[in-house]
Amino acid sequence: MKNIYIIGVGLIGGSLALDLKKHHHKSKVFGIDHNDAHLEEAIQLNVIDAKATYEDLKNADLVVLSIPVDAAVNEIVKVLDLISDDALVFDVGSTKAEICKAIDQHPKRRNFLAAHPIAGTEFSGPKAAILGLYQDKTNIICEVEKTAFKLQEKALKLFTDMGMRIRYMNPDAHDKHIAYVSHLSHISAFMLGKTVIDKERNERDIFDMAGSGFASTVRLAKSSPEMWTPIFKQNKANVLETLDEYINNLTKFRALMHDDDFDAIYSEMKNTNHIKEILNGIQ
């Protein structure tokens, strides 16, 4: 792992770069990004060591693709065309089915590992990169059997060095489950923020009256639309299914409110309290 190339040096790619530099201090970490200002900032922040281009990928031992999922589907083919036979490539996208389909018949499919480390914040850009972001986070790997065994071993060591837990799924199952536990929560936050902005015209009132509950619930509405719009587009069918379920629950709650059935509302909330035990960890 002498030469590591990070394509996309924002929050996710930048945080990976910091961890890779920590655990592989003899490696040189290069950044590739369409935004040259991001590359300059990443160098100043010591997130990467130097800038690079696709022409340099022939020298890569590891390539990390950390760009919006719509771009990743196209760029992964270009990356695999350029790397050596011994290089490892993995992506970190929030959808897996489309990228796995895109390179299923590629001659260097064995060099690619489809990964999704479930970590992040609502911030973006190189300045958002965090050393240790992936500690104790789950990393979902798809179609691991299609990656060369020696490259699987390299990837798993990288991930465990960063403190990640590994889980295996097929791409379709990943995209279905992640629509519920990640994509829906982002839509909820965006639409909650929109509702408040639409109705509370005085921004000072929002600032002064918003409590910690509102701030924590709407936090994800600060996330990058450039990243999330392609995710919703790629995972449209699963996202629509989750929205139907969510809207049904909201409609039911509204009906209970309308009918003054607060015993039923209490019961719904009490049953949902079980989420505390789930999020505290399954033993």
Side-chain angles (χ1 to χ4, degrees):
M1 293 292 176
K2 291 181 180 179
N3 296 314
I4 298 172
Y5 292 80
I6 309 292
I7 303 177
V9 294
L11 164 67
I12 300 301
S15 297
L16 277 165
L18 290 173
D19 269 352
L20 288 166
K21 290 179 72 170
K22 175 184 176 182
H23 296 289
H24 299 268
H25 56 273
K26 293 183 179 180
S27 301
K28 189 165 185 178
V29 178
F30 299 89
I32 299 175
D33 200 297
H34 73 278
N35 187 331
D36 198 61
H38 275 185
L39 290 173
E40 294 293 344
E41 184 178 16
I43 291 172
Q44 291 173 10
L45 295 170
N46 203 30
V47 172
I48 60 172
D49 298 313
K51 295 188 285 186
T53 68
Y54 272 36
E55 292 178 359
D56 301 312
L57 293 182
K58 62 182 181 292
N59 303 314
D61 298 299
L62 169 66
V63 181
V64 179
L65 190 61
S66 179
I67 57 179
V69 294
D70 56 342
V73 169
N74 296 316
E75 296 304 303
I76 186 59
V77 176
K78 300 175 187 177
V79 171
L80 291 177
D81 286 343
L82 293 168
I83 60 167
S84 72
D85 290 337
D86 299 319
L88 167 66
V89 180
F90 68 84
D91 83 306
V92 294
S94 183
T95 55
K96 297 268 73 86
E98 289 299 318
I99 197 166
C100 287
K101 288 176 187 175
I103 47 84
D104 188 54
Q105 300 302 316
H106 195 283
K108 290 180 181 172
R109 173 64 185 85
R110 61 187 293 279
N111 293 78
F112 175 69
L113 185 75
H116 178 201
I118 302 177
T121 72
E122 67 271 33
F123 304 110
S124 58
K127 64 182 178 298
I130 301 170
L131 177 65
L133 177 67
Y134 301 99
Q135 182 69 42
D136 298 324
K137 301 299 193 301
T138 298
N139 188 7
I140 300 176
I141 296 175
C142 297
E143 296 187 335
V144 66
E145 71 281 357
K146 295 186 179 182
T147 306
F149 184 70
K150 286 185 178 180
L151 297 179
Q152 288 181 37
E153 288 185 315
K154 285 185 179 181
L156 292 175
K157 185 177 188 311
L158 289 175
F159 299 148
T160 53
D161 284 347
M162 294 180 200
M164 286 193 267
R165 302 183 295 266
I166 306 299
R167 183 165 180 188
Y168 299 95
M169 282 188 181
N170 71 62
D172 290 333
H174 167 276
D175 288 4
K176 183 178 181 66
H177 292 306
I178 210 71
Y180 278 95
V181 297
S182 174
H183 301 171
L184 179 60
S185 59
H186 280 79
I187 294 171
S188 299
F190 278 119
M191 291 303 99
L192 173 59
K194 179 184 187 308
T195 302
V196 172
I197 289 171
D198 286 349
K199 295 299 179 182
E200 294 287 347
R201 297 297 183 181
N202 188 322
E203 294 184 6
R204 186 73 206 184
D205 287 345
I206 297 174
F207 181 82
D208 287 342
M209 298 174 67
S212 59
F214 175 79
S216 61
T217 306
V218 82
R219 175 180 66 85
L220 295 177
K222 295 183 279 185
S223 299
S224 166
E226 290 78 13
M227 181 178 79
W228 280 97
T229 303
I231 290 171
F232 298 147
K233 183 177 180 180
Q234 267 197 21
N235 208 21
K236 175 182 173 180
N238 289 314
V239 169
L240 284 173
E241 179 183 320
T242 67
L243 279 172
D244 286 342
E245 295 285 345
Y246 190 45
I247 291 167
N248 285 339
N249 278 319
L250 288 173
T251 302
K252 181 179 178 182
F253 191 93
R254 184 183 187 282
L256 293 175
M257 287 279 291
H258 184 270
D259 295 340
D260 289 327
D261 193 349
F262 291 98
D263 288 339
I265 286 175
Y266 173 86
S267 180
E268 290 277 0
M269 293 191 295
K270 187 67 175 177
N271 291 336
T272 306
N273 275 169
H274 178 54
I275 199 72
K276 289 187 291 187
E277 283 72 33
I278 295 173
L279 294 179
N280 282 337
I282 299 173
Q283 302 301 318

